[in-house]
């Protein structure tokens, strides 16, 4: 194993140690015996990448083609062959998770001393190191969240912003900074870029200027400033630029299609006049232009570096031929410069099921049937953690949260608070660290030998129990976090049977540094943007209508093409099962005025090929129409469908309801409630008993909204009970008698029988 070579310039970072550890990215394996062994198992194109160690290299890598494998083996081969010194290599990517994965793989390959970081992390480390020499004194405090300061800047400019506008204006400031646009130039830059500003551009420019002034007054900097200041130092201080260039002589940039102009400028300053650069990217996965990302740097690479080695990776190891065929078909219909450089993927997997296309009458029907199909997949053996529901905007999640809860399927929302920043996880980490250090004197660990048992014993003092608590609030969330740590310990000891508690603590520290949280057991609900870089066995792409995909505000041809690429990213997240669906109206009984996304034309069965475009006709896949969210809906459905439902009206004011929560209650949120509080509390107590008996969260019995609706309606028979949204046939059969008895004021036995 090659020992880590740490930088003489920058202090040792603990995440660069523990060469034998996986960091959770696979089984523990011995490093390859020599350089040639590093190349074993690579396909011809990956091997070409791994052995191209001199001069500029451009790797065009399609989704699922093993790009991380190719570039990590390239670095490791160079290190093991003695061509690259570990401490002279800087590999940069865009997320802490990706950087952590890269470090883990490099350690497995015996190249543990290589620096793998995000652009911001690498720049911050350099800025902290050189600040005393260049500026003197203490570096300004880093502002981790700028929203509050932007809100204050807006208030000082006498501009009122609601929460959504505040988020959008903050995004505009971030875009301006990464495109190196100063406040005075912002309006002109917006006009030139055809960017759709959320408010008057001059107004945003004014807020931007005040925000910068407030930062200066308070001696704070934001994440974009980290890049800007590092660029400024390297431009002005040639001695420092030379010092960094002596340290880092070889650069690898992953996800190069997402580089912003500011990041590209920093990379150029790191490089100087050298060409020891390897970039990896796919123009067809450029989906972050709103943040300043542009594929131009990738597409222009051969122009800037005429002698560059170019390797294309097109063997798709992730998805079945059926999924790959659909992905290729999407890109065949694309236009624009990125489309000219599209990669035709070739699946390396055995054939699987065809994609399923389903048209629904309304959004609740789409969500309900999707939830049942997910439940059926889980019953058929697909782990819940290997299933995802992907949508265009986060606001679409609520109806799917409700639908999954109604059928008893646990879920997780991607994009919530970072796992390792949760209070209970920090406290648990401290308890485990203390036990690892003083375990011999800790009575909790007496007679406990096995690592997972030690972890359970320690975490039991922090609130972990073998049985989950009742309820779905903060107590349950805390338990789920601790349970994830227990599962991580179990997985870790399977990979490394001899692991100790100290080894696990070191593993947790590495994961915390990389923000690599353990997998939560549940179906993933995520936006298409947040799904980038992830994959699942089964993917449900929902809400694929005109106005949502492409989104309404995609006006220009390039904006529409980015929406197509976003759908392409969604499709290529699926390994085996892929479902695509849309609803013709938003609410039950609404006018069926929506149309399926134009991106599916010529791909879904029975649809027309777009005129004048080269397209791939649909070769397979099943197309279904579902009038409602009953037991029908295609492959996963059995029995008869419900009749089409009429519009849901507020029973207080008569207004047509469109929000999922309001439809559940059959009234507007603002309308007065006549709920029987005592009945509601009795129903909650009964639900807690049922959930504990079933070993499920409370919401898998009935959600709070459903219980509120029952307590307001006080149904007297099955017909009235089934008229309440959320009381589906399965739940009626299982819990209906109990609920009706409680509504009638009767006592209910604690153990209803399963059916």
């Amino acid at each position: 194993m090659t020992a880590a070579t740490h930088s003489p310039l920058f202090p040792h970072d603990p995440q660069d140690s523990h060469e034998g550890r996986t960091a959770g990215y696979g089984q523990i394996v011995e490093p390859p015996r020599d350089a040639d062994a590093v190349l074993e198992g690579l396909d011809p194109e990956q091997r070409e990448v791994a052995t191209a160690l001199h001069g500029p290299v451009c790797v065009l890598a399609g989704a699922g083609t093993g790009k991380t494998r190719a570039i990590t083996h390239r670095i490791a081969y160079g290190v093991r062959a003695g061509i690259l010194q570990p401490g002279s290599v800087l590999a940069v990517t865009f997320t802490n998770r990706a950087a952590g994965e890269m470090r883990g793989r490099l350690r497995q390959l015996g190249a543990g001393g290589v620096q793998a970081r995000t652009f911001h992390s690498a720049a911050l480390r350099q800025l902290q190191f050189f600040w005393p020499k260049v500026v003197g004194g203490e570096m300004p405090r880093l502002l981790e969240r700028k929203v509050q300061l932007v809100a204050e800047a807006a208030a000082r400019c006498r501009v009122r912003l609601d929460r959504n506008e505040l988020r959008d204006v903050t995004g505009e400031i971030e875009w301006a900074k990464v495109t190196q646009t100063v406040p005075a130039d912002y309006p002109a830059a917006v006009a030139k870029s055809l960017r759709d500003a959320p408010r008057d551009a001059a107004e945003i420019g004014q807020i931007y200027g005040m925000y910068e002034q407030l930062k200066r007054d308070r001696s704070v900097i934001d994440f974009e400033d980290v890049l800007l200041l590092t660029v400024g130092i390297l431009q002005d201080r040639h001695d420092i630029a030379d010092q960094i260039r002596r340290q880092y002589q070889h650069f690898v940039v992953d996800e190069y299609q997402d580089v912003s102009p500011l990041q590209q400028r920093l990379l150029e300053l790191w490089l100087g006049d050298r060409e020891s650069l390897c970039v990896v990217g796919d123009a067809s996965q450029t989906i972050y232009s709103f943040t300043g990302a542009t594929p131009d740097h990738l597409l222009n690479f051969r122009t800037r570096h005429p002698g560059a080695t170019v390797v294309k990776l097109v063997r798709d190891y992730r998805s079945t031929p059926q999924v790959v065929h659909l992905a290729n078909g999407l890109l065949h219909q694309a236009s624009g410069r990125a489309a000219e450089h599209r990669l035709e993927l070739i699946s390396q997997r055995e054939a699987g099921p065809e994609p399923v296309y389903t048209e629904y009458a309304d959004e609740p029907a789409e969500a309900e049937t999707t939830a049942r199909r997910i439940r059926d997949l889980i019953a058929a053996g697909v782990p819940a953690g290997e299933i995802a529901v992907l949508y265009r905007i986060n606001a679409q999640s609520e109806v799917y949260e409700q639908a999954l809860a109604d059928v008893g399927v646990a879920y997780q929302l991607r994009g919530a608070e970072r796992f390792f920043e949760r209070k209970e996880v920090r406290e648990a980490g401290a308890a485990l660290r203390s036990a690892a250090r003083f375990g011999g004197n800790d009575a909790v660990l007496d007679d406990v030998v096995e690592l997972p048992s030690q972890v359970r014993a320690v975490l039991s003092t922090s609130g972990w129990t073998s049985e989950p608590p009742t309820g779905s609030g903060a107590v349950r969330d805390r338990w789920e976090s601790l349970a994830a740590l227990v599962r991580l310990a179990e997985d870790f000891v399977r990979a490394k049977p001899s692991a100790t508690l100290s080894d696990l603590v070191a593993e947790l520290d590495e994961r915390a540094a990389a923000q690599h949280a353990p997998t939560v057991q549940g179906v993933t609900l995520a936006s298409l943007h947040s799904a980038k870089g992830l994959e699942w066995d089964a993917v449900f792409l929902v809400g694929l209508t005109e106005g949502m995909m492409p989104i309404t505000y995609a006006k220009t041809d390039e904006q529409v093409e980015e929406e197509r690429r976003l759908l392409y990213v969604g499709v290529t997240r699926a390994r085996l099962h892929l479902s695509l669906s849309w609803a013709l109206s938003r609410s039950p009984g609404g006018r069926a005025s929506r149309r399926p996304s134009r991106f599916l034309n010529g791909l879904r069965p029975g649809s027309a090929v777009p005129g004048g475009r080269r397209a791939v006709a649909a070769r397979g896949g099943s197309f279904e129409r579902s009038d409602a969210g009953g037991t029908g809906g295609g492959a996963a459905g059995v029995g008869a469908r419900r009749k089409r439902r009429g519009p849901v009206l507020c029973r207080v004011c008569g207004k047509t309801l469109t929000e999922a929560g309001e439809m559940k209650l059959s009234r507007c949120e603002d309308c007065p409630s006549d709920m029987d509080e005592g009945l509601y509390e009795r129903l909650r107590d009964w639900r807690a008993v049922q959930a504990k008996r079933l070993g499920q969260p409370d919401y898998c019995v009935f959600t709070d909204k459903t219980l509120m609706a029952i307590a307001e309606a006080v149904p007297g028979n099955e017909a009235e009970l089934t008229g309440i949204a959320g009381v589906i046939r399965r739940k009626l059969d299982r819990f209906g008698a109990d609920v009706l008895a409680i509504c009638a004021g009767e006592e209910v036995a604690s153990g209803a029988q399963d059916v």
Side-chain angles (χ1 to χ4, degrees), residues 630-645:
T631 53
V638 291
R641 299 171 179 162
R642 286 189 230 153
K643 293 181 180 179
R644 176 182 290 236
R645 295 165 291 184

Side-chain angles (χ1 to χ4, degrees), residues 306-476:
T309 299
V310 179
V311 184
K312 294 183 179 181
L313 301 183
V314 296
R315 301 175 196 251
D316 187 325
Y317 297 95
R318 175 188 299 159
S319 305
T320 62
Q322 287 75 13
V323 173
V324 167
H325 178 77
L326 175 56
N328 287 336
L330 275 172
L331 293 189
H332 272 298
Q333 298 182 13
S335 61
R337 191 170 178 223
E340 295 171 3
H341 295 80
R342 60 178 171 261
L343 300 168
E344 186 89 12
L345 299 179
I346 304 171
S347 175
Q348 305 298 297
R349 293 193 54 174
E350 294 182 357
E354 294 286 350
V356 176
Y357 302 82
T358 311
E359 181 176 280
Y360 294 93
D362 52 70
E363 286 183 6
E366 183 180 13
E368 290 167 14
T369 305
T370 297
R372 280 193 296 278
R373 288 181 168 179
I374 289 171
R375 182 192 63 198
D376 293 345
L377 277 177
I378 294 171
V382 180
E386 287 295 343
I387 303 174
V389 178
L390 306 182
Y391 34 75
R392 177 60 180 84
I393 59 174
N394 287 319
Q396 292 172 273
S397 75
E398 182 187 4
V399 67
Y400 290 92
E401 293 177 57
Q402 187 72 59
L404 288 169
D406 284 345
V407 298
V409 173
Y411 61 86
Q412 58 169 325
L413 278 169
R414 181 161 177 81
E417 181 185 19
R418 288 178 172 180
F419 182 83
F420 288 102
E421 293 177 1
R422 297 175 189 171
K423 181 182 178 183
E424 64 269 20
V425 174
R426 295 198 308 269
E427 292 174 348
L432 290 170
R433 192 172 293 106
S434 176
R437 188 176 298 128
F438 307 112
N441 300 317
D442 193 337
V444 172
L445 297 180
D446 287 350
D447 303 321
V448 181
V449 178
E450 181 191 12
L451 176 59
S453 297
Q454 291 178 332
V455 172
R456 294 186 197 102
V458 173
L459 297 187
S460 66
T461 64
S462 300
W464 181 84
T465 58
S466 58
E467 293 294 325
T470 59
S472 58
V475 174
R476 176 73 188 212

Side-chain angles (χ1 to χ4, degrees), residues 146 215 226 364 426 598 671 706:
K146 56 174 70 70
K215 285 201 291 99
V226 170
R426 295 198 308 269
R598 71 189 75 170
C671 283
T706 299

Side-chain angles (χ1 to χ4, degrees), residues 595-619:
R595 292 180 293 120
S597 170
R598 71 189 75 170
F599 300 145
L600 300 181
N601 291 341
L603 299 173
R604 59 184 175 87
S607 62
V609 177
R613 292 273 183 88
R614 179 180 171 224
V616 175
R619 71 171 187 189

Side-chain angles (χ1 to χ4, degrees), residues 369-702:
T369 305
T370 297
R372 280 193 296 278
R373 288 181 168 179
I374 289 171
R375 182 192 63 198
D376 293 345
L377 277 177
I378 294 171
V382 180
E386 287 295 343
I387 303 174
V389 178
L390 306 182
Y391 34 75
R392 177 60 180 84
I393 59 174
N394 287 319
Q396 292 172 273
S397 75
E398 182 187 4
V399 67
Y400 290 92
E401 293 177 57
Q402 187 72 59
L404 288 169
D406 284 345
V407 298
V409 173
Y411 61 86
Q412 58 169 325
L413 278 169
R414 181 161 177 81
E417 181 185 19
R418 288 178 172 180
F419 182 83
F420 288 102
E421 293 177 1
R422 297 175 189 171
K423 181 182 178 183
E424 64 269 20
V425 174
R426 295 198 308 269
E427 292 174 348
L432 290 170
R433 192 172 293 106
S434 176
R437 188 176 298 128
F438 307 112
N441 300 317
D442 193 337
V444 172
L445 297 180
D446 287 350
D447 303 321
V448 181
V449 178
E450 181 191 12
L451 176 59
S453 297
Q454 291 178 332
V455 172
R456 294 186 197 102
V458 173
L459 297 187
S460 66
T461 64
S462 300
W464 181 84
T465 58
S466 58
E467 293 294 325
T470 59
S472 58
V475 174
R476 176 73 188 212
D477 291 343
R478 178 184 178 87
W479 184 90
E480 290 287 2
S481 296
L482 299 178
L485 291 174
V486 172
R487 288 193 298 270
L488 187 150
E490 293 167 348
D491 293 341
F492 187 62
V493 81
R494 276 195 293 270
K496 187 179 180 182
S498 61
T500 65
L501 193 55
S502 295
D503 292 331
L504 178 65
V505 168
E507 172 78 1
L508 292 175
D509 288 342
E510 286 187 3
R511 284 171 171 262
Q515 286 300 332
H516 177 212
T519 303
V520 176
Q521 299 302 306
V523 172
T524 298
L525 298 179
S527 71
L528 286 163
H529 281 103
S530 64
K532 178 76 167 63
L534 303 175
E535 58 186 81
W536 295 269
D537 283 344
V539 170
F540 290 79
L541 300 174
V542 299
L544 302 181
T545 59
E546 285 290 308
M548 193 59 75
M549 178 56 66
I551 198 77
T552 304
Y553 53 74
K555 304 292 187 184
T556 67
D557 289 344
E558 178 48 40
Q559 289 169 341
V560 169
E561 287 306 312
E562 181 156 338
E563 292 288 298
R564 187 193 306 276
R565 295 194 295 269
L566 187 57
L567 181 57
Y568 172 80
V569 166
V571 167
T572 55
R573 300 310 95 194
R575 300 191 192 104
L576 180 61
H577 302 280
L578 179 61
S579 172
L580 305 95
S581 62
W582 58 94
L584 298 180
S585 69
R586 181 178 181 184
S587 56
R591 190 163 62 91
S593 58
R594 291 177 171 177
R595 292 180 293 120
S597 170
R598 71 189 75 170
F599 300 145
L600 300 181
N601 291 341
L603 299 173
R604 59 184 175 87
S607 62
V609 177
R613 292 273 183 88
R614 179 180 171 224
V616 175
R619 71 171 187 189
S622 59
F623 174 62
E624 304 159 358
R625 283 191 175 91
S626 177
D627 290 334
T631 53
V638 291
R641 299 171 179 162
R642 286 189 230 153
K643 293 181 180 179
R644 176 182 290 236
R645 295 165 291 184
V648 179
L649 305 179
C650 174
R651 55 188 169 77
V652 180
C653 70
K655 173 186 171 184
T656 299
L657 303 176
T658 58
E659 298 298 330
E662 292 182 340
M663 288 191 285
K664 181 77 67 176
L665 292 172
S666 295
R667 65 171 173 81
C668 303
E669 289 277 7
D670 297 334
C671 283
S673 168
D674 54 357
M675 183 176 71
D676 183 330
E677 296 284 353
L679 174 58
Y680 178 65
E681 290 304 319
R682 292 195 299 276
L683 287 167
R684 282 175 58 88
D685 292 343
W686 165 85
R687 180 183 66 174
V689 172
Q690 298 302 315
K692 183 175 183 180
R693 180 178 63 83
L694 296 170
Q696 295 179 334
D698 283 9
Y699 65 74
C700 289
V701 178
F702 285 118

